[in-house]
């Protein structure tokens, strides 16, 4: 149960209690742990009520974004100056989905095959270690979104307790913040494969360039950015506050449509990172923009 002196609102406390009861009913659980908000919230709850019955299983893959990987490393390395840590056993698996032809071809079923490969590894290793139930961080906010990977998880028997109870991402952030976990305000991330349009081949070279560009933009102090490689041309998307930062760096203004010219210094840096063609404007980030 929640032990903080400041309790959440009654409705949220009831939902938290329902989640705790569901998790306890599962018995020994393995969390598919990315380091993002959803799986971190599950880890935080399990660490409070069933630490001896919980395993974190993380996949290190070419497709995980640097912020999520860094969040995972901060969450489990025990650095006490960055807030509480889960102090749960961790299994770190290396899985390279880019070696799978059905992922590299990047057709409409790419996400399904990618998730199935990842969760197959998680389920098999978890069961071998005595954790029969695998859970993921799918939540009520994901309902209605295009997420074919959820079908793969369901086929493998992976449970989604946050969705079952009805937790939203905003509610997860609220509790993580109350509990002191710095991950509460981590911007939403997504598999780097989502930066390449469906139907265009997914290669290691493309993913490496995308990662390098996003890492560079994050290093400039931007929080929510996407480097999308479309037909060989790099398009930069950013949240409104980040578009404004980019405009300020170039001494320009944001247009009525929320766009801003890409400063010459940023364009030059992106070109040095391997971008042959670059869109001259930064456009607003739209969640699910590359979905079918």
């Amino acid at each position: 149960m929640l032990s903080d002196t400041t309790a959440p609102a009654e409705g949220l406390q009831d939902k938290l209690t329902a989640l705790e009861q569901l998790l306890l009913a599962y018995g020994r659980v393995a969390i598919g742990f990315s380091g993002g908000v959803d799986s971190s919230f599950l880890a935080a709850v399990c660490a409070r009520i069933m630490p001896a019955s919980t395993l974190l299983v993380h996949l290190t893959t070419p497709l995980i974004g640097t912020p999520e990987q860094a969040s995972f490393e901060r969450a489990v390395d025990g650095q006490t100056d960055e807030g509480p840590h889960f102090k749960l056993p961790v299994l770190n698996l290396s899985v390279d989905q880019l070696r799978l032809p059905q992922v590299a071809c990047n057709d409409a079923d790419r996400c399904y095959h990618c998730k199935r490969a990842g969760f197959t590894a998680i389920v098999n290793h978890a069961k071998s270690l005595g954790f029969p139930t695998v859970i993921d961080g799918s939540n009520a906010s994901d309902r209605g979104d295009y997420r074919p990977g959820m079908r793969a998880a369901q086929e493998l028997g992976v449970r989604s307790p946050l969705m079952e109870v009805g937790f939203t991402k905003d509610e997860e952030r609220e509790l993580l913040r109350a509990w002191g976990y710095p991950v509460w305000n981590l911007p939403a991330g997504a598999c780097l494969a989502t930066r390449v349009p469906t139907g265009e081949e997914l290669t290691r070279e493309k993913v490496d360039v995308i990662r390098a560009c996003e890492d560079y933009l994050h290093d400039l102090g931007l929080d929510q950015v996407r480097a999308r490689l479309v037909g060989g041309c790099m398009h930069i998307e950013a949240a409104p506050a980040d578009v404004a930062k980019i405009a300020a760096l170039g001494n320009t203004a944001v247009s009525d449509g929320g766009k801003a010219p890409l400063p010459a210094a940023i364009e030059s840096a992106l070109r040095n990172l391997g971008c042959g063609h670059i869109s001259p404007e930064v456009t607003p980030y739209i969640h699910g923009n590359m979905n079918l």
Side-chain angles (χ1 to χ4, degrees), residues 88-108:
L88 296 170
V90 180
L91 175 63
N92 192 0
L93 304 176
S94 293
V95 177
D96 188 354
Q97 294 101 327
L98 287 176
R99 293 186 176 185
L100 301 175
Q102 58 268 52
V103 173
C105 73
N106 198 24
D107 65 11

Side-chain angles (χ1 to χ4, degrees), residues 32-34 38-39 59 61 63-64 68 95-98 100 102-103 109-124 134-138 142 146-158 189-194:
F33 184 72
S34 68
D38 303 319
S39 58
L59 294 181
T61 87
L63 299 176
I64 187 172
E68 290 73 32
V95 177
D96 188 354
Q97 294 101 327
L98 287 176
L100 301 175
Q102 58 268 52
V103 173
D109 289 328
R110 182 261 307 155
C111 184
Y112 167 81
H113 293 296
C114 186
K115 286 291 187 182
R116 188 169 181 91
F119 271 113
T120 295
I122 291 175
V123 168
N124 290 343
V134 173
I135 60 178
D136 76 351
S138 300
D142 298 327
Y146 179 74
R147 292 178 179 265
M150 290 173 60
R151 174 165 59 95
Q154 292 167 356
E155 290 174 358
L156 293 167
V158 175
C191 166
L192 295 182
T194 62

Side-chain angles (χ1 to χ4, degrees), residues 203-265:
T203 67
R204 201 170 308 277
E205 290 74 19
K206 290 179 181 179
V207 172
D208 287 346
V209 169
I210 289 166
R211 181 191 305 281
C213 290
E214 292 192 359
D215 288 351
Y216 163 74
L217 293 168
H218 286 133
D219 287 343
L220 291 180
L222 308 181
D223 294 319
Q224 186 87 65
V225 293
R226 296 289 187 267
R228 303 200 189 276
L229 194 55
V230 182
C233 181
M234 182 61 73
H235 296 257
I236 303 301
E237 296 179 5
D242 291 320
V243 174
K245 289 179 183 178
I246 291 174
L249 289 172
N251 294 314
T252 58
V254 179
S255 72
D256 292 339
K259 302 178 181 180
L262 191 68

Side-chain angles (χ1 to χ4, degrees), residues 233-236 246 260-264 267 277-283:
C233 181
M234 182 61 73
H235 296 257
I236 303 301
I246 291 174
L262 191 68
E267 181 179 351
H277 301 280
I278 304 170
S279 175
E281 288 185 315
V282 179
T283 58

Side-chain angles (χ1 to χ4, degrees), residues 20-32 46 49-57 88-89 122-123 125-135 157 159:
E20 291 172 341
Q21 292 174 345
L22 180 59
L23 291 168
L24 289 168
Y26 288 159
R28 290 168 62 81
V29 300
I31 302 173
C46 288
I49 63 169
M50 49 192 293
S53 300
T54 304
L55 173 70
L56 303 182
V57 185
L88 296 170
I122 291 175
V123 168
H125 281 81
K127 288 183 176 180
S128 72
L129 294 172
F131 293 86
T133 301
V134 173
I135 60 178
R159 301 291 295 269

